[in-house]
Amino acid sequence: MRVATFLACFVGAAVGCLHGRDATIPASGTQYWFPQPVDHFGGNNATWQQQYFVNATFYKPGGPIYIQTPGEQPLVTRYVDGTHPTELAQKTNALVVAIEHRFFGQSNPIPDLSGSSLQYLTIENTLEDFASFVRSAKSHPSDVFRTAVSKNAKVVFFGGSYSGNVAAWMRAKYPRLIQGAWASSAMLYGRLDYYQFDQGFGRHLQALGCAEKFSQAIEAVDDVLVSGSAADVVALQAKFGVPQLTPQDTAGLLSGLSTFYSMTHVSTVKDFVNDNVCSFFSNSSLTPIDAYSRVIKAVVSSTGMTEQSLRQMGDTSYGLDNYAIDQPGRSWYYMGCTWFGNWQTAPPSSSGLSRYRSQLVDLSYFEPNCQRKFGSNVAIPVDVSAYNAKWFNSLRGVSNIYYTSGSLDIWRDATVATSTGNLLPNWPSSPVFTIDGATHVQDLGAKQLNDLASVTKARNIGDALVAKWIK
């Protein structure tokens, strides 16, 4: 999660980051603000303004309301004019709404991101924000949407990645308000050591034929970072073109950069992981570590990153006391510390698994920053068992949720549809669909000319379900 601050388009709400809008949908998004209490449960009754966008281009009387949230990213108009729910709105006469998540972007209950302020970043408050919005939209639609919308309009919540969590939880907690939820790549299950992220990236590399060499490169890097002299470490950093950081911070930085393209969408003609990772390892004139350095340098070059931005991204001591708002990585880190963990570690040596990130990227890389950033009141480690018992189990037996996950999604093993089987029973009214060959949240992206057939199938299944929910 360290690198998530910079690689915002590829982490969390990664709906169509490298894909254009559907040109048939007119750009349309009007900005509004909705008042919310800091704490819905009495701890702080002060109010703040939550940002939302509305696209009523395709709405006709009697049509449904489709709600999205960017989750752990700032709100942009793409969420109402550049995703699949907007395409579906065109077919179903729906009104599309996108609501910014508390403590992200311009929607801040308190104007700083200190630990004392972020205590109000809870799942309960987050869900009640959206529920309060829907209640007002139902009772006074003209005030909320500035257009005549039926008070009896059906509501469907869409979400991808963490936003898929929100969609599923909204259906589970508020079934009378939310008629259905489409939860794509929803990372609902919490783990302390989420080394399955590493293994998910490995599955993609295996499919492309470069996993073995990539793993060899990681072992060569670790030979230096773990056992090499200080001079050896400096030489390695120079070879990769990264700043002189601690060995552990260097390991974390390289791990994040090398998975930069891991959540980009795969099409019938394009796989960014193949073009920007495996292509280097297919060059027989390069050793694995030389190929790995080319991968890192290419990412740095293509993003225009500077030594300063690399240092900010890689140095775990950077910005510990920077409480300024609009730091999505900081708010997201707090959620990892206090909600679900899912720290993206390397697999333990005892597992016998191949590694695609340094062994130095373990819990000691992530957990100490929880208290360094947010104060001693944040318990270490986060209680993922309690989280799963309350929030994952709340989904058992809930109808009208559509769970999707890509077979190459690095977050797949945090979803309901893991690589080893479904974590929830496949209820007929809440089906689970694995999208073969797809990565993260591909089904909720706007349609593209070269979409995988499996992505189109996932959308068609979802569209049919939504049609039932809004009858």
Side-chain angles (χ1 to χ4, degrees):
M1 295 184 184
R2 284 286 309 162
V3 186
T5 307
F6 185 84
L7 309 184
C9 201
F10 302 94
V11 177
V15 181
C17 290
L18 291 187
H19 299 269
R21 297 176 52 255
D22 182 343
T24 65
I25 296 177
S28 174
T30 305
Q31 182 188 46
Y32 299 110
W33 301 90
F34 185 81
Q36 299 278 13
V38 171
D39 185 0
H40 288 277
F41 306 100
N44 186 327
N45 293 321
T47 59
W48 57 285
Q49 297 295 316
Q50 186 170 31
Q51 183 184 203
Y52 66 103
F53 287 115
V54 175
N55 185 347
T57 302
F58 306 117
Y59 180 74
K60 294 181 180 179
I65 300 169
Y66 295 159
I67 297 179
Q68 298 185 85
T69 176
E72 71 276 28
Q73 298 300 330
L75 179 62
V76 293
T77 57
R78 174 171 55 82
Y79 286 93
V80 293
D81 64 27
T83 64
H84 180 63
T86 313
E87 296 170 333
L88 186 57
Q90 189 172 13
K91 300 174 183 178
T92 57
N93 305 325
L95 182 140
V96 183
V97 186
I99 310 170
E100 196 163 52
H101 194 292
R102 61 168 49 212
F103 284 110
F104 288 92
Q106 300 182 54
S107 299
N108 294 281
I110 298 176
D112 71 73
L113 301 180
S114 63
S116 60
S117 296
L118 289 172
Q119 67 177 303
Y120 300 110
L121 178 53
T122 65
I123 298 175
E124 291 86 351
N125 271 323
T126 296
L127 300 185
E128 188 59 30
D129 284 342
F130 298 120
S132 178
F133 180 94
V134 174
R135 291 189 196 100
S136 292
K138 289 274 197 176
S139 60
H140 301 92
S142 296
D143 293 341
V144 175
F145 299 127
R146 311 300 194 272
T147 189
V149 177
S150 170
K151 293 183 179 182
N152 297 318
K154 301 292 181 66
V155 179
V156 178
F157 213 116
F158 297 79
S161 194
Y162 159 67
S163 300
N165 295 29
V166 175
W169 289 332
M170 286 298 294
R171 170 59 186 165
K173 189 172 176 62
Y174 305 100
R176 294 185 179 181
L177 292 178
I178 308 299
Q179 276 65 56
W182 188 327
S184 174
S185 298
M187 28 203 283
L188 289 157
Y189 193 79
R191 290 181 173 87
L192 198 57
D193 273 292
Y194 184 57
Y195 64 82
Q196 290 85 353
F197 182 100
D198 176 82
Q199 296 300 290
F201 185 52
R203 280 196 302 274
H204 200 156
L205 300 180
Q206 289 163 11
L208 296 170
C210 74
E212 183 176 0
K213 288 185 176 180
F214 192 99
S215 184
Q216 289 171 357
I218 298 299
E219 292 176 1
V221 167
D222 271 1
D223 285 344
V224 177
L225 293 181
V226 176
S227 306
S229 67
D232 292 336
V233 173
V234 170
L236 179 78
Q237 292 164 335
K239 180 181 183 68
F240 280 78
V242 297
Q244 293 182 21
L245 303 170
T246 67
Q248 188 175 48
D249 282 0
T250 299
L253 177 60
L254 295 179
S255 298
L257 290 171
S258 65
T259 55
F260 181 84
Y261 294 101
S262 60
M263 287 193 283
T264 55
H265 293 175
V266 176
S267 74
T268 58
V269 297
K270 187 76 171 176
D271 186 327
F272 287 88
V273 173
N274 183 62
D275 296 349
N276 297 280
V277 180
C278 284
S279 61
F280 292 104
F281 287 92
S282 65
N283 187 337
S284 59
S285 67
L286 297 176
T287 65
I289 195 170
D290 287 336
Y292 189 35
S293 71
R294 296 279 185 95
V295 171
I296 300 302
K297 288 180 178 179
V299 170
V300 172
S301 175
S302 66
T303 57
M305 296 177 70
T306 64
E307 180 175 353
Q308 178 65 14
S309 59
L310 286 168
R311 187 173 296 279
Q312 292 175 6
M313 189 168 65
D315 186 351
T316 51
S317 66
Y318 181 85
L320 293 175
D321 298 324
N322 180 4
Y323 303 145
I325 60 172
D326 200 16
Q327 296 184 80
R330 185 179 183 88
S331 299
W332 179 244
Y333 210 100
Y334 181 84
M335 292 158 69
C337 292
T338 59
W339 295 13
F340 40 62
N342 281 334
W343 304 119
Q344 297 138 47
T345 58
S349 300
S350 59
S351 69
L353 297 169
S354 297
R355 288 186 291 104
Y356 307 99
R357 60 185 49 216
S358 170
Q359 63 182 283
L360 294 177
V361 184
D362 57 14
L363 288 178
S364 71
Y365 175 71
F366 296 101
E367 286 189 329
N369 266 2
C370 290
Q371 293 191 344
R372 294 172 72 194
K373 284 176 175 286
F374 308 116
S376 58
N377 289 335
V378 175
I380 297 177
V382 58
D383 191 347
V384 294
S385 295
Y387 161 84
N388 286 328
K390 182 172 183 178
W391 293 107
F392 187 80
N393 286 343
S394 71
L395 302 170
R396 296 186 183 278
V398 178
S399 63
N400 293 9
I401 302 177
Y402 179 40
Y403 299 101
T404 60
S405 178
S407 66
L408 297 181
D409 187 356
I410 52 178
W411 283 105
R412 182 180 177 188
D413 285 319
T415 73
V416 169
T418 73
S419 59
T420 57
N422 293 345
L423 295 180
L424 291 176
N426 195 350
W427 298 101
S429 60
S430 289
V432 179
F433 184 74
T434 298
I435 310 172
D436 186 49
T439 57
H440 200 59
V441 197
Q442 286 203 217
D443 50 320
L444 288 186
K447 66 181 179 182
Q448 303 296 319
L449 179 63
N450 297 305
D451 278 332
L452 298 174
S454 58
V455 172
T456 300
K457 182 177 180 179
R459 291 191 187 122
N460 290 340
I461 293 172
D463 291 357
L465 288 168
V466 172
K468 293 180 180 179
W469 300 339
I470 62 177
K471 279 185 178 179

